[in-house]
Amino acid sequence: MSYEDDDYHVDTFPKEYGYGAFDQDGLDSTGMCSDSDSKPRILLMGLRRSGKSSIQKVVFHKMSPNETLFLESTSKIVKDDINNSSFVQFSIWDFPGQIDFIDPTFDSDMIFGNCGSLVFVIDAKDDYNEALTKFKNTVIKAYKVNPRIKFEVFIHKVDGISDDTKMESQRDIHQRASDDLADAGLTQIHLSFHLTSIYDHSIFEAFSKVVQKLIPQLPTLENLLNIFISNSGIEKAFLFDVVSKIYIATDCSPVDMQSYELCCDMIDVVIDLSSIYSSEEDAFDNQSSSLIKLNNNTILYLREVNKFLALVCILREENFNRQGVIDYNFLCFRDAISEVFELRMKSQKLPTVDERQEYLMNGDEDSDDENMDDDDENLVNSRTGKIV
């Protein structure tokens, strides 16, 4: 099976219900992008066979993990646009492991210039000395071009490894990566590490953290969720991107992995049943909702926000007696999300790196950010008064 082959099993959604096929428009003969891409990029990098392409297929194209065993090694840069809502908008670039970023003929400015996040995948079951060397060289090159990049390390393929071995590998990789950057004089770079596998929900949780850092409105969304749950007797709430099952925001309480997995499973159940009893285009609409009672007196409650976003709540059964209040507060929350959408669309055109540098030199960027923050704060304050 070739990497570009789209004849694969879809785990949850019909093939038509998703982000669409890989977009290779705009790539020149070398695999580079020939036009200006305004959306922030997530770069997937690492050695060959580290699992980069499998991660992309499983998270964003619903491929079954077992089917990734038949993927061919990536031979050229593959660009995948994620563009389904105002909050989830970016492009993922999957890089072949053999690309040498130290080569002077490599156009580092073009690749790293508009990069929002660089995800470096390290195979935890392999000798990672070579991977750490390439990671250091890549980070040094990328940071020199764009100091604003978020650097994420996926310690991948940890399925079947004991918890003690996982933690030891993470500590070792963290320490060695940090020491390498310190030796290069880059102590100011912050690295985030995630233990991941495509055979459980850890890869979705890790990508949730990556995507959240690219959402300027994240503090506003978190604030809205905090207000919603505190006034509705809800213990935990996630705002999900339904297609990928990554959560783009949650409230301030700690994320419990088991709770997150339950919410993901609930989305699967809702979409599976909806696909059976409705047409594909109506599988998830503005009337979609679901209620699941667990045997420990806990309730999972799902409400649609828009075609691609859903709010999934966890609460005690006795608190659901106030369902009318919860539903009313949800409508206020959904209205606020719609207004955040509108604000986002007004400022949809993202400035280029050169423009942002010019803003910094002229002192304009801070004022722009302050205006956006003021708009978001005013929105939260206006909506807070409506929630019961």
Side-chain angles (χ1 to χ4, degrees):
M1 178 184 292
S2 68
Y3 184 70
E4 287 80 10
D5 187 2
D6 62 354
D7 186 18
Y8 52 79
H9 171 71
V10 178
D11 185 32
T12 300
F13 292 87
K15 279 195 292 188
E16 293 77 5
Y17 195 100
Y19 295 112
F22 287 111
D23 179 10
Q24 302 209 20
D25 295 337
L27 297 183
D28 60 23
S29 58
T30 64
M32 301 300 184
C33 184
S34 58
D35 59 352
S36 60
D37 190 354
S38 61
K39 293 190 292 293
R41 300 173 190 151
I42 296 178
L43 307 184
L44 270 178
M45 297 183 173
L47 297 183
R48 294 180 71 253
R49 311 307 300 179
S50 59
K52 306 182 297 297
S53 301
S54 299
I55 290 173
Q56 184 181 16
K57 282 281 195 174
V58 168
V59 175
F60 295 103
H61 291 272
K62 316 318 298 176
M63 176 177 277
S64 169
N66 291 329
E67 298 222 22
T68 63
L69 297 173
F70 305 102
L71 288 175
E72 295 179 359
S73 182
T74 305
S75 59
K76 61 181 179 180
I77 299 174
V78 179
K79 174 189 171 187
D80 190 15
D81 279 331
I82 308 301
N83 188 25
N84 69 358
S85 74
S86 295
F87 291 135
V88 185
Q89 287 196 359
F90 52 88
S91 61
I92 299 178
W93 291 35
D94 183 11
F95 282 76
Q98 65 269 22
I99 285 186
D100 182 12
F101 298 101
I102 309 303
D103 190 331
T105 62
F106 183 80
D107 191 352
S108 300
D109 292 342
M110 189 279 293
I111 292 296
F112 299 120
N114 194 34
C115 175
S117 180
L118 192 156
V119 177
F120 198 91
V121 182
I122 297 178
D123 186 346
K125 296 180 180 178
D126 198 4
D127 181 13
Y128 41 75
N129 289 321
E130 182 182 356
L132 286 173
T133 300
K134 182 163 186 174
F135 173 70
K136 178 192 71 173
N137 294 333
T138 302
V139 170
I140 292 173
K141 192 78 169 180
Y143 186 80
K144 187 179 299 184
V145 174
N146 182 3
R148 303 168 65 92
I149 294 178
K150 311 290 193 305
F151 294 100
E152 314 280 344
V153 180
F154 284 8
I155 305 172
H156 195 48
K157 301 183 182 179
V158 297
D159 47 280
I161 299 179
S162 66
D163 291 341
D164 290 341
T165 304
K166 290 179 187 178
M167 300 309 298
E168 180 61 31
S169 297
Q170 183 173 6
R171 280 194 296 268
D172 186 33
I173 292 174
H174 190 170
Q175 185 65 48
R176 292 170 61 180
S178 300
D179 289 346
D180 286 344
L181 293 180
D183 292 341
L186 298 176
T187 56
Q188 70 275 25
I189 294 180
H190 175 72
L191 304 177
S192 299
F193 294 83
H194 312 268
L195 294 169
T196 60
S197 170
I198 60 174
Y199 291 95
D200 57 34
H201 290 84
S202 60
I203 190 62
F204 297 96
E205 203 272 342
F207 240 105
S208 297
K209 299 295 186 182
V210 173
V211 172
Q212 286 170 22
K213 295 178 182 178
L214 302 181
I215 300 176
Q217 293 81 8
L218 181 62
T220 302
L221 299 177
E222 291 176 341
N223 198 2
L224 288 170
L225 284 167
N226 288 332
I227 295 170
F228 171 70
I229 69 167
S230 63
N231 288 276
S232 305
I234 293 172
E235 297 183 357
K236 187 67 181 173
F238 295 93
L239 186 61
F240 273 95
D241 174 56
V242 179
V243 178
S244 65
K245 290 188 298 187
I246 61 176
Y247 65 95
I248 64 172
T250 186
D251 57 87
C252 62
S253 62
V255 175
D256 174 62
M257 196 63 184
Q258 186 177 12
S259 299
Y260 172 65
E261 291 175 358
L262 283 172
C263 294
C264 289
D265 292 342
M266 183 181 193
I267 291 177
D268 283 340
V269 170
V270 172
I271 298 299
D272 286 341
L273 290 176
S274 298
S275 298
I276 293 173
Y277 295 105
S278 63
S279 59
E280 291 176 354
E281 60 270 17
D282 297 328
F284 194 81
D285 57 26
N286 58 6
Q287 299 297 321
S288 296
S289 65
S290 179
L291 174 67
I292 297 179
K293 293 184 179 181
L294 306 181
N295 57 10
N296 60 352
N297 295 324
T298 299
I299 285 181
L300 302 179
Y301 190 42
L302 179 147
R303 291 295 303 267
E304 172 273 344
V305 176
N306 62 34
K307 180 175 174 59
F308 292 104
L309 292 179
L311 182 70
V312 184
C313 307
I314 303 174
L315 67 159
R316 306 301 301 176
E317 187 173 359
E318 56 268 22
N319 291 337
F320 198 67
N321 294 332
R322 304 170 63 236
Q323 182 180 356
V325 173
I326 295 174
D327 289 341
Y328 173 79
N329 288 344
F330 168 76
L331 294 177
C332 295
F333 172 81
R334 186 165 64 179
D335 290 342
I337 292 293
S338 298
E339 293 188 26
V340 176
F341 271 165
E342 294 174 2
L343 290 175
R344 174 70 181 267
M345 293 179 68
K346 288 179 181 178
S347 58
Q348 195 63 47
K349 183 180 182 299
L350 300 176
T352 64
V353 174
D354 293 337
E355 289 173 339
R356 296 189 70 87
Q357 290 175 347
E358 183 179 352
Y359 292 160
L360 286 171
M361 294 176 61
N362 295 332
D364 294 335
E365 184 174 40
D366 291 338
S367 61
D368 289 342
D369 291 340
E370 288 175 2
N371 290 336
M372 286 300 298
D373 291 340
D374 290 342
D375 290 340
D376 291 340
E377 184 178 355
N378 293 335
L379 169 62
V380 172
N381 290 335
S382 66
R383 289 297 174 184
T384 302
K386 295 186 178 182
I387 292 182
V388 178

